[in-house]
Amino acid sequence: MHDPAIRETPLVGFLTLLRKEVLRFQKVGFQTVLAPVLNAVLFMLIFSHVLDRHVTVYGDIGYTSFLVPGLIMMSVLQNAFANSSSSLIQSKITGNIIFVLLPPLSYREFFAAYVIAAVLRGLLVGLGVWLVALPFVELPMAHPLWVLGFAVLGGAILGTLGVVAGIWADKFDQLAAFQNFLIMPLTMLSGVFYSIHSLPEVWQQVSHFNPFFFMIDGFRYGFFGQSDTSPWLSFAVVAACLLLLSALTLAMLARGYKLRA
Amino acid sequence: MSEVAIRISGVCKRYGSLQALDHVDLEVRRGEFFGLLGPNGAGKTTLISSLSGLVRPDAGTLEVMGHDVVTDYRNARRNLGVVPQELVFDPFFSVRELLRIQSGYFGIRRNDAWIDEILEGLNLTAKANQNMRALSGGMKRRVLVAQALVHRPPVIVLDEPTAGVDVELRQGLWHFVRKLNTDGHTIVLTTHYLEEAQELCGRIAMLKGGRIVALDTTANLLRRFASHSLKVRVERPEVAVALGGTLTNDERVEFDFGGFDDVEPLLARLRAAEAGVTGLEIGEPDLERVFLEVINRA
Ligand SMILES: Nc1ncnc2c1ncn2[C@@H]1O[C@H](COP(=O)(O)OP(=O)(O)O)[C@@H](O)[C@H]1O
Ligand SMILES: [Mg+2]
């Protein structure tokens, strides 16, 4: 049995890590997929019941219809973030992160696996919310590719933020702080619940500095064919954010920050 | 291929003001059973982690089977299996799932034949489908060993694999590791059980304060450092202690001596001082004593 280490098949390492990350949330799917879907649906029922007759958004679109894409996107984003961040912090705290650090995986493979798994969980939850909402609201889908594109890009941005947060945080409360003071406000102030045209001029301007606004606006464009800004502008902003954030995160991983002491 | 399994040169690592590794140079040849000993905090785990890429040293280079662990990390890691000191596990998976996943990380698909063989060798077959959470500490430790072997690494490093493991399991584990060694694997071991290190390891490095303070074959270390010991049971231990002996926990007094020529004069002095010798035993040199001597002198 002195044969040298077995030759590896390319990509198998990366695909295994990706599969492991997907299995990890699948095995507790009740908590990682069903619960967030239920959450979003409750939001939908309450908000639409209270506000449907009082708020007008774009001309003939009812408030509930307007709201649902925002809720779907919010679920995609939050769950993508939750997936990579909680997986990493759990692995760090329990110490089993070493099983990923000892094999010949590159930091790029590591990054890609965690982010793609995060996107998949985000999409799964988003799909769930959409399916549950369908019977209740009239929801067109004018441009499915924009819908998918913005969901993937937004999920990837939040998955990447989750990688950063999960590696940076040493304790769960630090992760919670990241979520409560950065992710939640940016999501809530991005136009999930309203069209920014209903805001005072100043806040409309401020919203344009929030990348989350462009994710949700572009996503909504995919459903209604109308939005607060051009989908191309949103796409450019969101793609640029993803590229910049990925580059920074890859640089952090290359240095081994907090993973390789 | 070169005969060197592990080459460590000039490795330094500092944590704040603490010098965890201080210019460590070390070579382990292929097929060796090598012991890395030292008190807690000596830097053993830091050295092993530098080898496996979990720690980035401030200076120096490390190679596994000729592959630099930084510039050629993929090949270095393919050739290395590490059993970590901490009892870590992934609670989401069963033993078999975990071993399949670990194989996959190393780029290996369909590894079940080898996985079965490892499970068998470690007496884990019956636990293969149990979730990690359901296993006892000793079982989890064996799974860690199994995980380190999925990719058939020629070099295997075990960082205190028997800490907190009961005697029976320890012996099973040593039997297994020894077999790996006779099959050609290079083994590096850290342990606090010095009798076991003495029995298993052909060569030993002792580390203290991040420095290698002794490096030799086990036989040479025993010869060079260990004095023999004479343990006497006496009526008046205080008298014997006054002559330079130390009191053992079983109420005997122990003297070190270099050669057997020293025994008679020692007994004569005990008689002269009227210590009242009622029994005596000559102890062989053991690694425990070598260790204490080396570490205290360093
Ligand atoms: N991540 C770390 N941060 C700060 N100090 C550390 C870290 N890891 C180890 N040390 C210190 O380095 C020294 C060597 O530790 P270690 O290599 O674990 O020793 P050993 O394995 O021989 O017991 C110890 O003093 C330990 O406290
Ligand atoms: Mg240690």
Side-chain angles (χ1 to χ4, degrees), chain B residues 3 23-24 54 61 71 82 88 100 132 139 166-167 180 188-189 195 200 224 230 234 236 266:
Chain B
E3 284 304 296
H23 294 91
V24 176
L54 296 179
T61 55
T71 58
V82 177
V88 295
R100 283 184 179 154
M132 285 303 295
M139 289 294 175
D166 64 51
V167 182
L180 288 170
V188 174
L189 170 73
E195 338 72 273
L200 292 162
R224 266 205 356 236
L230 177 71
V234 288
R236 297 165 57 205
L266 181 59

Short mmCIF file of all heavy atoms in Angstrom, two decimals, chain B residues 3 23-24 54 61 71 82 88 100 132 139 166-167 180 188-189 195 200 224 230 234 236 266:
data_model
loop_
_atom_site.label_atom_id
_atom_site.label_comp_id
_atom_site.label_asym_id
_atom_site.label_seq_id
_atom_site.Cartn_x
_atom_site.Cartn_y
_atom_site.Cartn_z
N GLU B 3 14.95 10.62 -0.37
CA GLU B 3 14.61 9.77 0.76
C GLU B 3 13.95 10.54 1.90
O GLU B 3 13.62 10.00 2.93
CB GLU B 3 15.88 9.08 1.29
CG GLU B 3 16.34 7.93 0.40
CD GLU B 3 15.25 6.90 0.20
OE1 GLU B 3 14.85 6.27 1.19
OE2 GLU B 3 14.78 6.74 -0.94
N HIS B 23 13.45 28.96 14.79
CA HIS B 23 14.42 28.35 13.89
C HIS B 23 14.48 26.83 14.01
O HIS B 23 15.49 26.27 14.40
CB HIS B 23 15.82 28.93 14.14
CG HIS B 23 15.91 30.37 13.78
ND1 HIS B 23 15.67 31.38 14.70
CD2 HIS B 23 16.16 30.98 12.61
CE1 HIS B 23 15.80 32.54 14.10
NE2 HIS B 23 16.08 32.34 12.83
N VAL B 24 13.38 26.21 13.67
CA VAL B 24 13.33 24.75 13.75
C VAL B 24 13.84 24.14 12.44
O VAL B 24 13.39 24.51 11.35
CB VAL B 24 11.89 24.27 14.02
CG1 VAL B 24 11.83 22.75 13.99
CG2 VAL B 24 11.41 24.79 15.36
N LEU B 54 -2.07 24.98 8.01
CA LEU B 54 -3.05 25.67 8.86
C LEU B 54 -2.42 26.90 9.51
O LEU B 54 -3.11 27.81 9.95
CB LEU B 54 -3.58 24.73 9.95
CG LEU B 54 -4.37 23.53 9.48
CD1 LEU B 54 -4.79 22.68 10.66
CD2 LEU B 54 -5.59 23.97 8.69
N THR B 61 11.10 27.23 5.53
CA THR B 61 10.35 26.48 4.53
C THR B 61 10.07 25.07 5.04
O THR B 61 10.81 24.55 5.88
CB THR B 61 11.15 26.34 3.22
OG1 THR B 61 12.42 25.75 3.51
CG2 THR B 61 11.36 27.70 2.56
N THR B 71 4.39 26.88 -1.97
CA THR B 71 4.40 27.07 -3.42
C THR B 71 3.83 25.87 -4.17
O THR B 71 3.34 26.01 -5.27
CB THR B 71 5.84 27.32 -3.92
OG1 THR B 71 6.65 26.21 -3.55
CG2 THR B 71 6.42 28.58 -3.31
N VAL B 82 -3.17 14.31 8.31
CA VAL B 82 -2.97 14.85 9.65
C VAL B 82 -4.14 14.46 10.55
O VAL B 82 -5.29 14.66 10.20
CB VAL B 82 -2.85 16.39 9.63
CG1 VAL B 82 -2.72 16.93 11.04
CG2 VAL B 82 -1.65 16.82 8.80
N VAL B 88 -12.36 17.21 16.79
CA VAL B 88 -13.35 17.94 16.01
C VAL B 88 -14.13 17.00 15.11
O VAL B 88 -13.62 15.97 14.68
CB VAL B 88 -12.69 19.05 15.15
CG1 VAL B 88 -12.08 20.10 16.05
CG2 VAL B 88 -11.63 18.47 14.24
N ARG B 100 -16.55 9.79 2.73
CA ARG B 100 -16.73 10.01 1.29
C ARG B 100 -16.47 11.47 0.95
O ARG B 100 -15.82 11.79 -0.05
CB ARG B 100 -18.15 9.64 0.87
CG ARG B 100 -18.34 8.15 0.77
CD ARG B 100 -19.74 7.85 0.27
NE ARG B 100 -19.93 6.42 0.15
CZ ARG B 100 -21.12 5.84 0.22
NH1 ARG B 100 -22.21 6.57 0.40
NH2 ARG B 100 -21.22 4.54 0.10
N MET B 132 -22.12 11.21 13.48
CA MET B 132 -20.96 11.53 14.30
C MET B 132 -21.33 11.89 15.73
O MET B 132 -20.61 11.58 16.67
CB MET B 132 -20.19 12.71 13.68
CG MET B 132 -19.38 12.36 12.46
SD MET B 132 -18.15 11.07 12.75
CE MET B 132 -17.06 11.87 13.92
N MET B 139 -14.37 6.82 19.74
CA MET B 139 -14.80 6.52 18.37
C MET B 139 -14.55 7.72 17.46
O MET B 139 -14.10 7.57 16.32
CB MET B 139 -16.30 6.19 18.35
CG MET B 139 -16.60 4.86 18.98
SD MET B 139 -15.91 3.54 17.98
CE MET B 139 -16.28 2.15 19.01
N ASP B 166 -9.07 5.40 26.10
CA ASP B 166 -8.78 4.35 27.08
C ASP B 166 -7.72 3.35 26.57
O ASP B 166 -7.42 3.31 25.38
CB ASP B 166 -10.05 3.62 27.52
CG ASP B 166 -10.70 2.88 26.37
OD1 ASP B 166 -10.00 2.12 25.68
OD2 ASP B 166 -11.91 3.07 26.17
N VAL B 167 -7.19 2.58 27.51
CA VAL B 167 -6.03 1.74 27.23
C VAL B 167 -6.25 0.80 26.04
O VAL B 167 -5.42 0.71 25.14
CB VAL B 167 -5.66 0.89 28.47
CG1 VAL B 167 -4.42 0.06 28.18
CG2 VAL B 167 -5.45 1.78 29.67
N LEU B 180 0.62 0.54 9.52
CA LEU B 180 0.79 1.54 8.47
C LEU B 180 2.28 1.78 8.22
O LEU B 180 2.74 1.90 7.09
CB LEU B 180 0.13 2.86 8.85
CG LEU B 180 -1.40 2.90 8.85
CD1 LEU B 180 -1.90 4.21 9.48
CD2 LEU B 180 -1.94 2.78 7.44
N VAL B 188 4.71 10.42 11.92
CA VAL B 188 5.20 11.36 12.93
C VAL B 188 4.15 11.42 14.01
O VAL B 188 2.96 11.55 13.73
CB VAL B 188 5.43 12.77 12.34
CG1 VAL B 188 5.79 13.76 13.44
CG2 VAL B 188 6.52 12.73 11.28
N LEU B 189 4.63 11.33 15.23
CA LEU B 189 3.69 11.17 16.34
C LEU B 189 4.05 12.14 17.46
O LEU B 189 5.22 12.30 17.80
CB LEU B 189 3.85 9.73 16.83
CG LEU B 189 3.18 9.32 18.11
CD1 LEU B 189 1.69 9.21 17.87
CD2 LEU B 189 3.73 8.00 18.57
N GLU B 195 6.20 6.02 27.47
CA GLU B 195 6.52 4.59 27.29
C GLU B 195 6.16 4.16 25.88
O GLU B 195 6.87 3.39 25.23
CB GLU B 195 5.78 3.63 28.23
CG GLU B 195 5.20 4.08 29.52
CD GLU B 195 3.98 4.95 29.41
OE1 GLU B 195 4.12 6.17 29.29
OE2 GLU B 195 2.86 4.41 29.47
N LEU B 200 7.54 2.74 20.23
CA LEU B 200 7.18 2.85 18.82
C LEU B 200 8.20 3.59 17.96
O LEU B 200 8.43 3.22 16.80
CB LEU B 200 5.84 3.60 18.70
CG LEU B 200 4.60 2.89 19.22
CD1 LEU B 200 3.47 3.89 19.45
CD2 LEU B 200 4.16 1.82 18.24
N ARG B 224 22.52 8.00 25.92
CA ARG B 224 23.24 9.23 26.21
C ARG B 224 22.78 9.91 27.49
O ARG B 224 23.56 10.38 28.28
CB ARG B 224 23.04 10.23 25.06
CG ARG B 224 24.15 10.14 24.06
CD ARG B 224 24.39 11.39 23.24
NE ARG B 224 23.51 12.52 23.39
CZ ARG B 224 22.84 13.07 22.38
NH1 ARG B 224 22.92 12.55 21.19
NH2 ARG B 224 22.11 14.13 22.59
N LEU B 230 18.54 3.50 40.92
CA LEU B 230 18.51 2.51 41.99
C LEU B 230 17.43 2.93 42.96
O LEU B 230 17.45 4.03 43.49
CB LEU B 230 19.86 2.47 42.70
CG LEU B 230 19.95 1.52 43.90
CD1 LEU B 230 19.95 0.07 43.44
CD2 LEU B 230 21.20 1.82 44.72
N VAL B 234 14.00 1.80 52.47
CA VAL B 234 14.85 1.98 53.65
C VAL B 234 14.00 2.25 54.87
O VAL B 234 12.87 2.72 54.77
CB VAL B 234 15.85 3.15 53.46
CG1 VAL B 234 16.94 2.77 52.47
CG2 VAL B 234 15.13 4.40 53.02
N ARG B 236 14.92 4.42 57.19
CA ARG B 236 14.97 5.86 57.48
C ARG B 236 15.16 6.65 56.19
O ARG B 236 16.28 7.00 55.82
CB ARG B 236 16.11 6.13 58.46
CG ARG B 236 15.87 5.42 59.81
CD ARG B 236 17.14 5.38 60.65
NE ARG B 236 17.65 6.73 60.88
CZ ARG B 236 18.94 6.99 61.14
NH1 ARG B 236 19.82 6.02 61.19
NH2 ARG B 236 19.32 8.22 61.37
N LEU B 266 27.60 3.49 46.49
CA LEU B 266 26.35 4.08 46.95
C LEU B 266 25.74 3.27 48.08
O LEU B 266 25.35 3.81 49.13
CB LEU B 266 25.37 4.16 45.78
CG LEU B 266 24.01 4.78 46.05
CD1 LEU B 266 24.17 6.20 46.56
CD2 LEU B 266 23.15 4.74 44.80
#
